[in-house]
Amino acid sequence: MRKMSKAVLLAIAVSAVITMPVSAQENKIESGIYADDINLSGMTTQEAGDKIKAYVDSFGESEITLNAVNGGTIVTTASELGLKWANESILDEASNFGRDGDILQCYKELKDLEHQNKIYEIVFDFDKEKIKTLIEENAGQYNQEAVNATMIKTEEGFEITEGNSGVMVDTEASANAVYDYLTGDWNGEGCAIDLVIVVDEPIGKAEDLAQVKDVLGTFTTSYSTSGGSRSANVSNGCNLINGTTLFPGEEFSAYEAVAPFTEANGYYMAGSYLNGQVVDSLGGGICQVSTTLYNAVLLSELEVTERYNHSMIVTYVDPSADAAIAESSGKDFKFKNNTDYPIYIEGSTTPDKHITFTIYGVETRDSNREVIYESVVLERTVPEEEVIYVDESRPVGYCSVQSAHIGYKAQLWKVVRENGVEVSREQINSSSYMKAPRSATVGVATADEGARNAIMAAIATNSIDEVKAVAGSYRAAADAAAAQAAAEEEAAAAELPPEEVPLVW
């Protein structure tokens, strides 16, 4: 038999194209083309796309169980994990099958289709971020975090409790594992997938804490002039910090340790600084706690990572040796355990109103090494003026006076001596404290025009002492009248004759 020439083959192919099925001429998918088990024969591109999407969506309610730690499970569905059709490109391929290419290729494809179906694989895809979010939001309830070894100081010494390892879900690795399974091995039916579990080891062990015996630094301040509320705040803040253990590299935040400043957390209203004024606020006095701890940290030579000075000078430490914390301004005192061993913070207060922080650890410094801190005042500004504030809501006789605050610019220097000889001098910080004049807030509310004129005349002198004297006289008169009224009310309650009512002068 003679072989047909290329020209003959081309003629046959052209004839086949001319006589190709109506479906091809109408741009419909050829017979014998499938997407998985879906017969796309005779469908338009739009019809085939809708059919495949409906097929993919039909697996949306398939239940997928993610196995977490300690028997915990997270139950979800494929649609909740972002199930979608990944390879929509097969739609164009199916639509163009037998008509995209040269004539011979198209002819061959169509002839092959008469003997064997063309099957395209439908590929699923998922939203990895939705998978990760689901694990992040639900796996934590089953995690068993490691428990660090703990220590507490008693009169007999340190009591140490051993810690325990934990098990946790690795969110990132688990999200990748779930995604890989669903896009590679999932058959569309309900399934269970094990999440990636890791062992959470405690940071420190009992044998690490057993080394903690040495005093690295200790510092004490007095709050003997404080009233009951401020004293209670100092004691409360000290107790909240007492017993803290920091392992190597860990950072401590004084604010996080003592917050929130609420009655439920043991705080009372007491004086604090705000915009150059002393105002009452919950937790007033807490900065003496952070300041005392700051100085103990400096003596221990731990790494201070955040520190702010007060807006105005304080009296319980030298200038630039303070460390303020405040919720409103975001001030915090932070430090890091930069030693190779754990440290323990002991805080205590005494009946005579002294607060002490002592930091224990492992002493690695030479015994002949001495560290001291020197406060250097660069500038001192004394306010000369006085300020009087009128308060229309307060009665005549009210007069609240705040002392002047001297403004300072200061530095704190670290001095190291070995065998009594200075070997280094380093500036640790610099601080600026605003000056604030002596001020008085004076009440002027009264129905007595003469009393109002008198107090306003005293205010016009710009002398706080003059205002105090006038306000004091009206306050004394008001107190006497109140006492007289109380006595009369008491007498009336006792049904005494009017002539027997005692007079109060």
Side-chain angles (χ1 to χ4, degrees), residues 336-384:
K336 185 180 294 185
N337 177 7
N338 58 337
T339 75
D340 295 328
Y341 304 93
I343 62 171
Y344 178 87
I345 305 173
E346 179 188 36
S348 63
T349 57
T350 61
D352 63 346
K353 297 186 178 181
H354 286 81
I355 175 174
T356 300
F357 279 108
T358 302
I359 298 177
Y360 293 86
V362 177
E363 184 60 84
T364 58
R365 297 169 293 184
D366 292 339
S367 59
N368 63 350
R369 189 173 187 275
E370 178 187 13
V371 177
I372 62 173
Y373 290 86
E374 293 182 358
S375 170
V376 178
V377 175
L378 306 177
E379 186 179 309
R380 186 174 182 270
T381 308
V382 179
E384 297 178 356

Side-chain angles (χ1 to χ4, degrees), residues 21 66 84 92 97 108 118 152 182 188 194 204 220 224 249 269 296 331 365 374 381 409 413 418 432 446:
L66 308 181
K84 60 184 178 180
D92 289 335
F97 188 87
K108 183 177 185 308
K118 174 65 176 177
I152 185 170
L182 292 176
D194 292 333
T220 300
S224 58
M269 298 292 289
K331 290 182 177 180
R365 297 169 293 184
E374 293 182 358
T381 308
K409 288 186 178 180
W413 288 76
E418 293 179 359
S432 294
T446 179

Side-chain angles (χ1 to χ4, degrees), residues 33 36 160 180 191 205 208 220 222 266 354 378 414 433 448:
I33 295 180
D36 281 0
I160 299 173
D180 290 345
C191 64
K205 299 181 179 180
D208 300 323
T220 300
S222 171
H354 286 81
L378 306 177
K414 175 182 178 181
Y433 305 90
D448 185 340

Side-chain angles (χ1 to χ4, degrees), residues 230-251:
R230 187 180 187 279
S231 299
N233 290 339
V234 171
S235 178
N236 184 54
C238 180
N239 290 335
L240 291 172
I241 295 175
N242 177 46
T244 298
T245 300
L246 288 182
F247 290 95
E250 285 192 308
E251 187 178 49

Side-chain angles (χ1 to χ4, degrees), residues 203-214:
I203 298 174
K205 299 181 179 180
E207 54 263 33
D208 300 323
L209 297 181
Q211 302 176 78
V212 176
K213 297 176 182 178
D214 304 320

